[in-house]
Amino acid sequence: MIELPDARKLALDHLHTREQLSLLYASNSDYIPESLDTLNHFLRDHYSGEIGKMDPELFDLLYQIRQTLGSKASVQIISGYRSPKTNTLLRSTRGGGVAKHSLHMEGKAVDIRLPGVPLKDLRDAALSMRGGGVGFYPGQQFVHIDTGRVR
């Protein structure tokens, strides 16, 4: 197998759909369009099946977080893209834990875990990237990362 320079790969497990994915999504500064399509489908709204367009910079954050932590584990996905209809439904049933203007609806956010990595270490690695927002939800056992403003 030929190794591409600066190849960036992701390994993901979706906890709701039970799908697994491992793929090369970029090399150098070039994203691979077919891989982005595959990732968009993988991270679809697991309630409705609606596919959104995910921000490729989110994939770079996931890649960098795994590299920083030295983890070979697949990133566990709790939530990726979320349609506006699903977001409204969740806002009305989750006791206010879902943002009205969630970046999940723009394909700019994912909620994740990384097996073998303490949640606070995952949070700290995400914060160190300074690539967007980071939310820490120890009660629900996930970290939210997004490509919005750093906060």
Side-chain angles (χ1 to χ4, degrees):
M1 182 174 171
I2 298 172
E3 262 315 296
L4 297 172
D6 193 29
R8 296 190 303 283
K9 301 173 186 176
L10 284 176
L12 307 171
D13 289 338
H14 200 297
L15 297 182
H16 292 285
T17 65
R18 305 225 187 286
E19 294 170 311
Q20 298 179 329
L21 179 66
S22 181
L23 82 166
L24 173 73
Y25 74 92
S27 179
N28 292 317
S29 61
D30 300 320
Y31 293 106
I32 300 167
E34 298 81 13
S35 294
L36 296 181
D37 289 344
T38 299
L39 286 160
N40 288 337
H41 181 266
F42 184 86
L43 294 167
R44 68 193 177 277
D45 182 329
H46 63 270
Y47 292 93
S48 70
E50 187 175 324
I51 299 169
K53 184 175 180 185
M54 302 301 291
D55 182 354
E57 289 181 19
L58 199 55
F59 307 137
D60 289 336
L61 282 175
L62 292 172
Y63 175 80
Q64 291 166 359
I65 288 167
R66 278 181 75 212
Q67 295 296 109
T68 296
L69 292 167
S71 176
K72 302 276 189 233
S74 294
V75 176
Q76 293 179 335
I77 302 295
I78 291 127
S79 183
Y81 174 74
R82 190 181 301 148
S83 72
K85 183 177 179 180
T86 295
N87 200 70
T88 299
L89 173 70
L90 294 177
R91 278 183 53 77
S92 67
T93 60
R94 296 283 165 97
V98 175
K100 184 175 186 176
H101 300 289
S102 172
L103 290 176
H104 286 276
M105 296 187 298
E106 297 177 31
K108 294 183 175 194
V110 289
D111 299 334
I112 63 169
R113 291 182 198 136
L114 193 55
V117 175
L119 212 57
K120 63 181 177 56
D121 293 351
L122 178 57
R123 174 204 57 202
D124 292 347
L127 286 169
S128 76
M129 299 295 116
R130 300 200 49 78
V134 177
F136 181 57
Y137 301 92
Q140 294 86 6
Q141 287 294 296
F142 72 87
V143 172
H144 165 96
I145 63 167
D146 65 56
T147 56
R149 64 181 172 79
V150 176
R151 57 195 187 288

